[in-house]
Amino acid sequence: MAFIDYYKVLGVDKKATETEIKKAYRKMARKHHPDLNPNDKQAELKFKELNEANEVLSNPENRKKYDQYGENWEHGEEYEKSRQQQQKQRQQSSGPQGGFNGFEGADYSDFFESMFNQSGGGGGQRRSQQYKGQDFTTALHLSLKEAYTSHKRTLNVNGKNIRITIAAGVENGQVIKIPGYGGEGVSGGPKGDLYITFSVDNDADFKRDKDNLYTLVELPLYTAVLGGEITVNTFDGKVKLTIAAGTQNNAKVKLKGKGFPLYKKEGAFGDLYITYTISIPKQLSDKEKELFNELSKISTP
């Protein structure tokens, strides 16, 4: 497999900061996301490369290994251990007179070829070491309505369709792991995992804060003054509310259990908080003006 320069994939310099890398990934991921480029194989491949590059370069430890070992960054620690072991054996076997050079003068690629290929340089059979495949990452965008109910979704990852169930109540920024849907393992090792990061938007009428919902309800002036009943929208239907006479502007009420479902807790919901805003009539008839004038005289101390 040809070497992929992750810095070039993200379009950043090798001295780029973590913030610059994150910003570049988000911009490129939005552009090449499979949901925005249906049936576009090139976009799928580019999106996969972007996720791989971000996973490595956004992790300081992985980035350090990548900068040092390049495409063999995942096995850099094995190289160091083997090199130290060879040096120790050389010192023990050569004594004060010195001996064979071991890994002295050999480059990284020589080491990795001899370490991970089946046959060794001396014609003998080496035991291949198994390593878990690379983990993949992807982002999934949901509306608040989609996050409200459990549903199934098909994702295309690395050319494969994956059918997953998204539990109601998933939060913005939440990450879930799908085991075994990452890269192929090395020398028969287990596959890597797939990590999905969710992006959940607020609704035009409802704002979410964890498991609670917040909304504004416009209250007619006469209802606020005299009291009465109104019908309001909740996220899953309509309810009737009794309004007390003399309700003030920005008064708040709580509807228990009418908020957002708790993640993977069936039947459990947060609360809905309603803030009343009093609607003042903009155009009054002559009769209404007359009545308001009478009221103002009566209510004046």
Side-chain angles (χ1 to χ4, degrees):
M1 182 181 292
F3 171 65
I4 300 176
D5 188 332
Y6 289 149
Y7 289 102
K8 288 185 178 180
V9 170
L10 294 177
V12 297
D13 187 79
K14 289 188 176 182
K15 296 181 180 180
T17 64
E18 290 184 26
T19 300
E20 290 171 337
I21 289 174
K22 184 181 295 185
K23 183 178 180 180
Y25 166 72
R26 289 177 176 173
K27 179 180 178 180
M28 298 287 284
R30 282 195 298 267
K31 179 180 179 181
H32 297 282
H33 198 286
D35 289 349
L36 300 179
N37 300 273
N39 302 318
D40 188 336
K41 297 298 182 183
Q42 291 298 321
E44 288 181 13
L45 179 61
K46 182 65 176 179
F47 190 70
K48 172 192 170 186
E49 290 180 351
L50 288 169
N51 283 322
E52 291 178 357
N54 180 62
E55 179 186 356
V56 174
L57 300 185
S58 64
N59 183 306
E61 185 177 345
N62 288 345
R63 182 180 180 182
K64 181 179 179 181
K65 294 177 185 177
Y66 178 78
D67 289 341
Q68 184 173 1
Y69 301 107
E71 60 184 312
N72 298 303
W73 69 272
E74 292 183 284
H75 309 301
E77 293 181 358
E78 295 299 325
Y79 164 76
E80 291 295 341
K81 291 179 182 178
S82 296
R83 184 177 65 84
Q84 293 172 6
Q85 184 178 6
Q86 289 290 341
Q87 289 178 340
K88 184 177 180 180
Q89 292 175 350
R90 184 181 72 239
Q91 293 171 356
Q92 292 175 346
S93 60
S94 62
Q97 299 300 321
F100 67 94
N101 287 332
F103 278 97
E104 297 292 337
D107 61 16
Y108 295 145
S109 60
D110 294 335
F111 163 73
F112 286 112
E113 181 178 358
S114 65
M115 181 175 181
F116 298 110
N117 286 347
Q118 291 289 336
S119 58
Q125 191 75 11
R126 293 183 182 270
R127 182 180 179 182
S128 181
Q129 298 189 45
Q130 296 182 337
Y131 294 93
K132 180 183 176 182
Q134 184 177 4
D135 292 334
F136 290 162
T137 60
T138 190
L140 183 57
H141 184 88
L142 299 176
S143 67
L144 196 62
K145 184 176 181 180
E146 289 172 324
Y148 186 82
T149 56
S150 296
H151 64 284
K152 295 185 180 296
R153 182 71 66 92
T154 299
L155 304 179
N156 188 288
V157 180
N158 198 26
K160 297 180 181 179
N161 288 331
I162 304 173
R163 188 75 168 168
I164 65 171
T165 297
I166 301 174
V170 65
E171 293 190 36
N172 182 51
Q174 183 174 341
V175 180
I176 65 171
K177 181 176 77 172
I178 310 297
Y181 281 91
E184 295 292 335
V186 177
S187 301
K191 289 185 177 181
D193 302 320
L194 170 65
Y195 290 86
I196 303 174
T197 301
F198 289 94
S199 174
V200 182
D201 285 340
N202 269 317
D203 186 82
D205 298 320
F206 295 89
K207 305 303 179 185
R208 179 186 179 189
D209 182 9
K210 297 182 179 178
D211 303 315
N212 296 323
L213 291 175
Y214 296 81
T215 190
L216 298 176
V217 171
E218 195 173 76
L219 202 59
L221 173 63
Y222 307 113
T223 305
V225 174
L226 302 174
E229 281 191 345
I230 63 169
T231 299
V232 299
N233 293 320
T234 67
F235 209 78
D236 64 345
K238 297 179 181 291
V239 297
K240 283 188 176 182
L241 296 179
T242 299
I243 307 300
T247 296
Q248 300 297 303
N249 190 50
N250 291 325
K252 294 177 175 59
V253 295
K254 179 176 77 171
L255 301 187
K256 190 172 179 61
K258 287 295 183 179
F260 220 71
L262 277 61
Y263 184 68
K264 288 190 175 181
K265 292 184 179 180
E266 189 174 353
F269 289 81
D271 302 321
L272 171 62
Y273 290 86
I274 295 176
T275 299
Y276 291 128
T277 59
I278 308 301
S279 176
I280 306 297
K282 294 182 179 179
Q283 294 182 343
L284 297 175
S285 66
D286 291 339
K287 182 63 174 178
E288 287 174 321
K289 291 179 181 178
E290 180 182 342
L291 292 173
F292 270 110
N293 283 325
E294 291 295 327
L295 286 172
S296 65
K297 293 175 182 179
I298 296 172
S299 61
T300 301

